Amino acid sequence: MGIRQTEGRQRLYDSVLDTIGDTPCIRINRIAPAHVKVYVKFEAFNPAGSVKDRLALNIIEAAERDGRLNPGQTVVEATSGNTGIGLAMVCAAKGYPLVVTMADSFSVERRRLMRFLGAKVVLTPRAQKGFGMYTKAKELAEQNGWFLASQFETAANADIHETTTAREILGDFENERLDYWVTGYGTGGTVSGVARVLRKERPDTKIILTEPSNAAIVSSGYVNTRNENNQPTESHPNFEPHPIQGWTPDFIPWVLQEAIDNQYYDEMIPVPGSDGIEWSRRLASEEGIFTGISGGSTFAVAMKMAEQAPQGAVLLVMLPDTGERYLSTPLFDGIEEDMTEEERAISMSTPSAQMAAE
Ligand code: PMP
């Protein structure tokens, strides 16, 4: 094998915002069953490290296009992290102040990242769950005339996945079969937007949706009540706190309802968070692909599908973000700071170890 040579992208970028999207689909070589081909669409390649960069860009630009957002106006949103980090990047690049509300149960590195990107982060008590941070954002918007990003209701969410994520998949799989596309949901923007296109352009592709098994709110069949703005008016009774950050809030979002109403998925397969953690670790340590708990969870479901899939089947799995965002979470439990026994033995195995001991 010769030395790698690269040629640049044959373009210069006017803004970091122009680098959003066009994330690569990457083959899994070591941990997938041999009779299928598994690819991951790795959204960590977005400039702020997650799939939500797409949504953040379009929430701001759609509002600019139709005059709902004025120059210098403050943007406010309730978010568990990735949307906030994406919005902070977009607002920094475009010069809008940003206030994010967030339950204090989410990882501290997310808060610090948003603050580093210039946003203000207002914490809400974890006992009030997603509904609490959401109510706070709504109140702040109404009281101050701020622009509420409304990721769970806005048309700007699924639209950007229809015009970017889905088109990228069509382009990359133009000459390849695609038997299964596997995704989880947070707002449902990814599944609703991509499914609009796949159902038309790749009708043979089975769409597999997943949710946490201890918060299987869609599987429960109960649809929570909503107000005239399609915002939830209650916490879903089947919700329980789960470790898959970014997935399944404690209500069925309006953006996701489109996927439910249009039968945009062929199967719903719940997954325990512990399986997601295990597969995220395997993706990192056996494939070199460093994704968060939601990516590991989606991959866990894909591995189940792969077992039953026919010879030669092709699967594409969404990996929404980077694992670097989870250093203080259960994903890193058991990953030591100090040397392990094995590492100490390696250290002791050369002469300089004796010198240190003398
Ligand atoms: N995984 C993570 C880590 C996320 O932050 C999100 C978005 N909240 C998702 C998955 C789900 O994406 P969507 O909102 O498009 O359903």
Side-chain angles (χ1 to χ4, degrees), residues 271-347:
V271 61
S274 52
D275 286 10
I277 288 172
E278 193 182 314
W279 280 104
S280 169
R281 289 178 177 174
R282 290 198 63 186
L283 278 166
S285 61
E286 296 176 58
E287 293 281 347
I289 294 175
F290 189 24
T291 189
I293 303 175
S294 70
S297 301
T298 315
F299 197 81
V301 169
M303 288 299 96
K304 271 204 191 125
M305 297 307 301
E307 276 167 24
Q308 313 152 16
Q311 180 76 30
V314 176
L315 295 86
L316 175 63
V317 187
M318 293 303 292
L319 302 186
D321 70 353
T322 167
E324 220 160 310
R325 215 143 272 179
Y326 299 84
L327 289 168
S328 70
T329 75
L331 186 59
F332 276 76
D333 278 359
I335 305 293
E336 303 298 335
E337 277 175 38
D338 296 326
M339 280 198 282
T340 61
E341 279 304 309
E342 198 183 352
E343 289 161 345
R344 236 187 302 278
I346 297 171
S347 168

Side-chain angles (χ1 to χ4, degrees), residues 51-52 82 110 157 161 184-190 245-247 294 320-321 326:
V51 68
K52 306 309 288 247
N82 282 330
R110 291 180 182 226
N157 187 345
H161 291 287
Y185 69 85
T187 60
T190 307
Q245 287 193 30
W247 268 18
S294 70
D321 70 353
Y326 299 84

Side-chain angles (χ1 to χ4, degrees), residues 40-346:
V40 293
K41 188 161 172 62
F42 197 14
E43 292 294 311
F45 275 82
N46 284 299
S50 92
V51 68
K52 306 309 288 247
D53 291 1
R54 299 171 187 269
L55 159 81
L57 177 72
N58 199 41
I59 281 183
I60 298 301
E61 293 198 336
E64 287 175 339
R65 283 192 292 270
D66 59 23
R68 284 174 294 135
L69 178 61
N70 302 312
Q73 191 179 352
T74 297
V75 177
V76 59
E77 182 63 335
T79 155
S80 65
N82 282 330
T83 299
I85 293 165
L87 277 173
M89 182 243 320
V90 174
C91 287
K94 285 179 175 275
Y96 296 102
L98 172 68
V99 175
V100 162
T101 64
M102 182 170 163
D104 60 10
S105 49
F106 294 109
S107 69
V108 290
E109 51 268 39
R110 291 180 182 226
R111 303 178 203 168
R112 297 187 75 197
L113 273 169
M114 281 182 252
R115 289 180 175 135
F116 198 83
L117 283 159
K120 302 258 181 301
V121 180
V122 173
L123 297 175
T124 56
R126 67 190 66 196
Q128 292 177 10
K129 300 188 234 180
F131 196 61
M133 66 198 224
Y134 186 70
T135 305
K136 178 63 76 186
K138 225 169 67 176
E139 288 172 354
L140 285 169
E142 279 161 15
Q143 195 171 299
N144 302 304
W146 292 348
F147 171 71
L148 183 63
S150 301
Q151 59 167 334
F152 293 104
E153 294 83 32
T154 182
N157 187 345
D159 286 356
I160 193 67
H161 291 287
E162 180 181 357
T163 59
T164 66
T165 322
R167 294 287 144 191
E168 293 162 26
I169 294 171
L170 291 188
D172 291 353
F173 284 83
E174 198 179 341
N175 301 311
E176 177 65 285
R177 59 191 273 190
L178 181 56
D179 300 277
Y180 299 96
W181 177 66
V182 191
T183 186
Y185 69 85
T187 60
T190 307
V191 63
S192 290
V194 171
R196 281 179 198 166
V197 176
L198 287 187
R199 284 298 199 225
K200 258 194 230 124
E201 310 278 339
R202 300 292 297 246
D204 295 336
T205 300
K206 294 250 180 305
I207 298 178
I208 311 300
L209 192 60
T210 169
E211 61 185 354
S213 43
N214 70 329
I217 65 175
V218 171
S219 306
S220 79
Y222 176 80
V223 176
N224 47 257
T225 51
R226 297 195 181 91
N227 66 19
E228 69 284 2
N229 296 319
N230 303 317
Q231 297 159 330
T233 47
E234 61 177 343
S235 187
H236 197 289
N238 294 82
F239 179 83
E240 262 184 47
H242 59 80
I244 312 173
Q245 287 193 30
W247 268 18
T248 310
D250 62 329
F251 55 90
I252 296 178
W254 179 242
V255 173
L256 177 68
Q257 194 64 45
E258 175 186 341
I260 300 171
D261 293 346
N262 292 288
Q263 275 118 39
Y264 275 168
Y265 54 92
D266 300 281
E267 274 187 74
M268 165 64 86
I269 303 180
V271 61
S274 52
D275 286 10
I277 288 172
E278 193 182 314
W279 280 104
S280 169
R281 289 178 177 174
R282 290 198 63 186
L283 278 166
S285 61
E286 296 176 58
E287 293 281 347
I289 294 175
F290 189 24
T291 189
I293 303 175
S294 70
S297 301
T298 315
F299 197 81
V301 169
M303 288 299 96
K304 271 204 191 125
M305 297 307 301
E307 276 167 24
Q308 313 152 16
Q311 180 76 30
V314 176
L315 295 86
L316 175 63
V317 187
M318 293 303 292
L319 302 186
D321 70 353
T322 167
E324 220 160 310
R325 215 143 272 179
Y326 299 84
L327 289 168
S328 70
T329 75
L331 186 59
F332 276 76
D333 278 359
I335 305 293
E336 303 298 335
E337 277 175 38
D338 296 326
M339 280 198 282
T340 61
E341 279 304 309
E342 198 183 352
E343 289 161 345
R344 236 187 302 278
I346 297 171

